[in-house]
C-alpha cells in the first residue's frame, strides 16, 4: 500500500486521518485564540516547522558527520555540520553538539561526561527555582548522584552566592551547576566560575530558559565562563522542541561520547535541520531586536502586575520571565492558573521561595513574554495583559461561563486578533 500523502501536505493528511488533522487545527485555533504566557514556550517559525516536517525524519544516522554507522548519510551530514557551525558561531563556542533530543537529554549527557554515580553535584534547589534534572530525588539525577542544594537569600530572593561558596568548600562537589526554571534575575557567572576554581569543580550552566536572550546579545553569555552549557532550543530561542550543548574544546570528546553512544542512539535529523534553520534566524538583527523586546515586555508585565498587588519575587526581572507571589491577594497558584485559563490566558502555577503551599497548589504564578512578543506585542499590551490577568484571577472562579471569564476572554480575543499567532494569508 502506498502512502496517500507526502511531507507536510495538510489537505492529504486531513483526507487520510481527519482525527489527527482536526487536532492540528484545534491546536492552531487554541494558539490563535488565547494569550500564551508560559515562559518555556514560544512560536516556532514556518521555516523551522517545514524542516521538522521534512524527509530527513526518515534517516537513521547514528554517529557524527563523517563517522556514521549507517550508509546514505551524505545529505544529513551536511545538515548537521551546518547546525554545528552555526551554533558555534552564534554562541562563540569552541565546540557544539546538536544531537540531544531535549534539554533533559542534554543534561543527562553532562552527567555522563563529567560524573560517576554517587559523586556530588552542587545545584539550585527545585523549590527555589532549580529544575528536576538538577538532582531532585524523583529524577535520575537525584537517584544516581549526590545532590547538595543551594537556594536564594530570604531578603533579596536572589541566589545566595555566599551559601554557594560555603557549600562548595564543605562538600567539594565534582560539578557546580547554575541555572533553573524560575530564576528572574541574571546569574553571576564570573562568581560561580571563581567558586568552581576554588574547589576544582567543573562549572556547568543549564541555560535552557535564557539562552535565546544570550543569542540575541540581550544579556551576558555564560559561554566564556562555563566548562559546558546545556540548553533547549524551543523557549526564547524559538526553535524546535529539542536540546543542544556547547563546551570548551578540552571537553569535546567526553561530551560527544556521552551524547552518543552513552545516552542516545540515532539522532533526529529533521530536528537537527530545524535547529540549523533556527540558529540562522537567531543570528539576524531582527532576532536581536526581538530578544531585547522580550525583556522589556517581561519587565513591564512584572511591574504592572506588582502595581495590582501581585508581587514579583526579587522585585522584578532581568529576563523573559517573572515569578509572582499571590499571597497578598489571597489566591493560590492552582486557582490562578485555572481562573486565567477559563478566561483565555495560559500561564502556570509555580512555587515561590519558602512557599508554605504544596507544589501542586503553590503560592505563585510564573509568566513569560516570549510568545506574545513573537506575536508583535509591546509594553503597552503588557499593561493591558496585567489588567486582564488581575481581573481573571481575582474576580473569576474557574468557570468559563462565569461573567468575568467571558468579559476577559472577549478582551483577550480582541487583543490576539490584533496580534495573531501565525497570521493567515
Amino acid at each position: 500500500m502506498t502512502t496517500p500523502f507526502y511531507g507536510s501536505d495538510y489537505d492529504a493528511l486531513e483526507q487520510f486521518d481527519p482525527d489527527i488533522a482536526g487536532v492540528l487545527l484545534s491546536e492552531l485555533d487554541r494558539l490563535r485564540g488565547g494569550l500564551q504566557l508560559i515562559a518555556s514556550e514560544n512560536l516556532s517559525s514556518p521555516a523551522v516547522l517545514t524542516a521538522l516536517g521534512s524527509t530527513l525524519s526518515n534517516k537513521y544516522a547514528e554517529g557524527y558527520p563523517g563517522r556514521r554507522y549507517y550508509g546514505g548519510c551524505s545529505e544529513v551530514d551536511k545538515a548537521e555540520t551546518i547546525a554545528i557551525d552555526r551554533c558555534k558561531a552564534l554562541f562563540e563556542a569552541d565546540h557544539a553538539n546538536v544531537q540531544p533530543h531535549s534539554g533533559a537529554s542534554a543534561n543527562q549527557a553532562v552527567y555522563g561526561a563529567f560524573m560517576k554515580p554517587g559523586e556530588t553535584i552542587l545545584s539550585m534547589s527545585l523549590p527555589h527555582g532549580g529544575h528536576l534534572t538538577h538532582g531532585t530525588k524523583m529524577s535520575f539525577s537525584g537517584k544516581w548522584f549526590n545532590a547538595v542544594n543551594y537556594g536564594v537569600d530570604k531578603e533579596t530572593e536572589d541566589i545566595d552566592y555566599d551559601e554557594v561558596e560555603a557549600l562548595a568548600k564543605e562538600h567539594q562537589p565534582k560539578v557546580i551547576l547554575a541555572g533553573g526554571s524560575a530564576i528572574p534575575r541574571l546569574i553571576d557567572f564570573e562568581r560561580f566560575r571563581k567558586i568552581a576554581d576554588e574547589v576544582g569543580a567543573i562549572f556547568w550552566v543549564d541555560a535552557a530558559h535564557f539562552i535565546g536572550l544570550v543569542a540575541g546579545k540581550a544579556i551576558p553569555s555564560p559561554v566564556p565562563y562555563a566548562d559546558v552549557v546545556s540548553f533547549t532550543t524551543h523557549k526564547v530561542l524559538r526553535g524546535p522542541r529539542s536540546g543542544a550543548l556547547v563546551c570548551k574544546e578540552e571537553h569535546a570528546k567526553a561530551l560527544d561520547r556521552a551524547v552518543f553512544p552513552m545516552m542516545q542512539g540515532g539522532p533526529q535529523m529533521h530536528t537537527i535541520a530545524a535547529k540549523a534553520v533556527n540558529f540562522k534566524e537567531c543570528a539576524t538583527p531582527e532576532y536581536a531586536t526581538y530578544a531585547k523586546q522580550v525583556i522589556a515586555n517581561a519587565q513591564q508585565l512584572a511591574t504592572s502586575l506588582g502595581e495590582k498587588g501581585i508581587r514579583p519575587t526579587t522585585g522584578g526581572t532581568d529576563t523573559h520571565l517573572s515569578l509572582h507571589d499571590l499571597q497578598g491577594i489571597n489566591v493560590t497558584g492552582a486557582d490562578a492558573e485555572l481562573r486565567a485559563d477559563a478566561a483565555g490566558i495560559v500561564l502556570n502555577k509555580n512555587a515561590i521561595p519558602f512557599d508554605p503551599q504544596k507544589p501542586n497548589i503553590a503560592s505563585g504564578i510564573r509568566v513569560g513574554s516570549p510568545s506574545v512578543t513573537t506575536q508583535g506585542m509591546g509594553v503597552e499590551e503588557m499593561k493591558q495583559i496585567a489588567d486582564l490577568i488581575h481581573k481573571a484571577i481575582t474576580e473569576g472562579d474557574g468557570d468559563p461561563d462565569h461573567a468575568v471569564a467571558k468579559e476577559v476572554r472577549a478582551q483577550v480575543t480582541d487583543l490576539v486578533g490584533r496580534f495573531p499567532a501565525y497570521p493567515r494569508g
Side-chain angles (χ1 to χ4, degrees):
M1 176 179 177
T2 58
T3 179
F5 59 88
Y6 298 90
S8 54
D9 186 338
Y10 176 80
D11 290 338
L13 175 62
E14 185 176 37
Q15 182 178 0
F16 178 74
D17 192 340
D19 296 326
I20 291 299
V23 171
L24 298 186
L25 278 187
S26 295
E27 173 62 5
L28 183 57
D29 288 342
R30 186 191 70 81
L31 289 174
R32 286 173 171 164
L35 286 168
Q36 312 305 322
L37 299 175
I38 301 292
S40 52
E41 294 180 356
N42 212 330
L43 305 174
S44 296
S45 72
V48 167
L49 296 179
T50 297
L52 277 174
S54 70
T55 55
L56 295 186
S57 177
N58 300 330
K59 191 71 193 84
Y60 233 118
E62 285 187 349
Y64 291 101
R67 296 175 289 126
R68 304 290 189 183
Y69 290 83
Y70 286 82
C73 291
S74 59
E75 299 310 308
V76 294
D77 275 5
K78 294 175 187 176
E80 185 166 352
T81 299
I82 291 170
I84 290 168
D85 290 344
R86 289 178 180 174
C87 186
K88 288 165 60 178
L90 185 63
F91 298 112
E92 300 179 19
D94 294 343
H95 181 76
N97 189 304
V98 297
Q99 291 196 5
H101 300 329
S102 65
S105 296
N107 289 354
Q108 194 172 36
V110 177
Y111 285 102
F114 297 110
M115 299 185 70
K116 296 176 181 177
E119 290 185 329
T120 298
I121 183 169
L122 177 60
S123 58
M124 193 168 194
S125 162
L126 179 64
H128 285 203
H131 189 260
L132 284 170
T133 57
H134 296 179
T136 56
K137 293 301 181 184
M138 64 283 285
S139 162
F140 76 91
S141 56
K143 294 180 183 296
W144 297 350
F145 304 98
N146 175 44
V148 175
N149 294 143
Y150 59 87
V152 301
D153 179 87
K154 199 159 191 176
E155 296 299 318
T156 67
E157 296 176 299
D158 199 4
I159 295 170
D160 188 337
Y161 292 94
D162 291 337
E163 182 187 28
V164 176
E165 184 172 3
L167 289 172
K169 290 178 178 178
E170 178 184 355
H171 295 279
Q172 298 291 306
K174 184 69 176 293
V175 172
I176 296 177
L177 171 55
S181 59
I183 304 173
R185 295 300 186 178
L186 297 179
I187 297 171
D188 188 342
F189 304 124
E190 185 174 7
R191 179 78 187 274
F192 266 105
R193 176 77 263 174
K194 289 179 180 177
I195 294 170
D197 288 343
E198 283 182 16
V199 299
I202 291 290
F203 176 34
W204 166 22
V205 175
D206 182 346
H209 258 276
F210 58 82
I211 194 66
L213 302 176
V214 174
K217 306 296 188 289
I219 65 171
S221 172
V223 174
Y225 301 98
D227 291 289
V228 59
V229 178
S230 61
F231 57 94
T232 55
T233 52
H234 53 268
K235 297 184 176 75
V236 184
L237 208 58
R238 208 161 56 183
R241 296 195 63 82
S242 196
L245 295 151
V246 294
C247 69
K248 296 187 181 302
E249 186 60 41
E250 65 195 87
H251 304 306
K253 288 184 179 179
L255 202 65
D256 283 354
R257 288 172 182 155
V259 173
F260 172 83
M262 186 176 186
M263 298 299 179
Q264 293 184 179
Q268 298 176 351
M269 299 312 303
H270 57 304
T271 308
I272 288 174
K275 293 178 203 181
V277 173
N278 174 233
F279 296 147
K280 184 173 184 177
E281 292 174 339
C282 292
T284 63
E286 292 79 10
Y287 183 83
T289 299
Y290 163 76
K292 293 178 176 62
Q293 190 64 51
V294 165
I295 296 174
N297 283 354
Q299 290 175 335
Q300 183 62 63
L301 186 55
T303 297
S304 295
L305 286 170
E307 290 171 350
K308 297 181 176 302
I310 304 175
R311 184 184 72 86
T313 65
T314 76
T317 180
D318 302 317
T319 63
H320 62 299
L321 67 83
S322 55
L323 186 63
H324 291 264
D325 181 358
L326 301 172
Q327 295 176 95
I329 59 171
N330 198 32
V331 176
T332 68
D335 283 341
E337 180 182 306
L338 181 66
R339 294 173 187 181
D341 189 68
I345 303 170
V346 184
L347 47 74
N348 64 277
K349 62 180 174 291
N350 208 102
I352 60 172
F354 311 103
D355 199 326
Q357 295 281 3
K358 295 179 180 179
N360 63 336
I361 301 297
S363 297
I365 54 172
R366 187 186 66 167
V367 294
S369 60
S371 291
V372 290
T373 306
T374 293
Q375 290 172 242
M377 297 185 199
V379 292
E380 291 304 313
E381 287 72 36
M382 297 307 110
K383 296 175 185 177
Q384 182 182 355
I385 289 172
D387 290 341
L388 295 174
I389 292 172
H390 179 262
K391 188 173 186 66
I393 67 177
T394 58
E395 300 179 32
D397 64 0
D399 181 358
D401 292 323
H402 189 279
V404 169
K406 288 182 175 180
E407 178 186 347
V408 172
R409 194 161 62 248
Q411 294 179 63
V412 167
T413 299
D414 176 71
L415 180 57
V416 298
R418 289 186 284 119
F419 299 93
Y422 298 111
R424 294 171 172 85

